[in-house]
Amino acid sequence: MTKLKHLNHISFKIGLIFFVIMIDLEGFVIYFLHQNIVKERVKDEFNSLLVRSNSHRDVLEQYNDPDSIHRVAVMESKSDLIVIVLNGNKKSIIASRPLDRGMRNIISKPVGKITHKGKISRKALGR
């Protein structure tokens, strides 16, 4: 019983309360920092994809021939990205990889008005 006598001291209780409060605060801060970092990384990745796709669009606007279209698809064939060049009727002209059912579903969804700056359609991605 004498070994546990220090648990009744006020300094131990204050220290324990301080410790619990600090751990809770650190967990709270780490959680919100993590959430904000993840959101910013996703936003940066979407912006990077938009810039890259706009670059491909610019090339195809300037050089709209079968060789240029083929080159755009070939450039992305070895990357993690998939490029699909569509005509005005949303029919695939060429793709850097074969299209699966999920890709066809995304292409078939209405995207609304798209400006020349491009658009990330989170609705089409299910978000």
Side-chain angles (χ1 to χ4, degrees), residues 2-126:
T2 58
K3 291 184 179 184
L4 301 178
K5 193 173 187 179
H6 67 281
L7 295 179
N8 289 332
H9 291 184
I10 189 80
S11 60
F12 178 78
K13 291 178 183 178
I14 291 173
L16 185 61
I17 291 171
F18 181 75
F19 177 75
V20 169
I21 289 172
M22 290 305 294
I23 292 296
D24 287 347
L25 284 175
E26 286 178 12
F28 181 76
V29 168
I30 288 171
Y31 173 77
F32 281 103
L33 278 174
H34 178 267
Q35 292 299 316
N36 287 333
I37 289 170
V38 168
K39 285 178 186 176
E40 284 301 313
R41 285 290 298 139
V42 168
K43 184 178 171 183
D44 289 345
E45 192 64 32
F46 276 133
N47 286 337
S48 172
L49 290 172
L50 187 60
V51 166
R52 194 166 181 170
S53 63
N54 285 344
S55 172
H56 289 318
R57 181 215 51 226
D58 292 342
V59 167
L60 292 177
E61 282 180 346
Q62 191 171 10
Y63 306 103
N64 193 1
D65 58 88
D67 287 338
S68 297
I69 295 171
H70 180 73
R71 271 191 224 104
V72 166
V74 169
M75 283 190 313
E76 297 299 339
S77 65
K78 298 297 180 186
S79 74
D80 292 338
L81 303 176
I82 299 170
V83 169
I84 305 166
V85 178
L86 305 172
N87 66 11
N89 299 325
K90 289 185 151 185
K91 299 292 180 197
S92 174
I93 296 172
I94 195 166
S96 59
R97 292 196 202 137
L99 303 181
D100 62 20
R101 187 180 317 165
M103 291 178 212
R104 292 183 199 281
N105 288 341
I106 289 172
I107 291 171
S108 68
K109 290 184 181 183
V111 292
K113 184 176 170 104
I114 300 175
T115 67
H116 196 262
K117 295 178 188 175
K119 177 181 178 182
I120 299 289
S121 178
R122 294 175 190 243
K123 192 185 312 182
L125 297 173

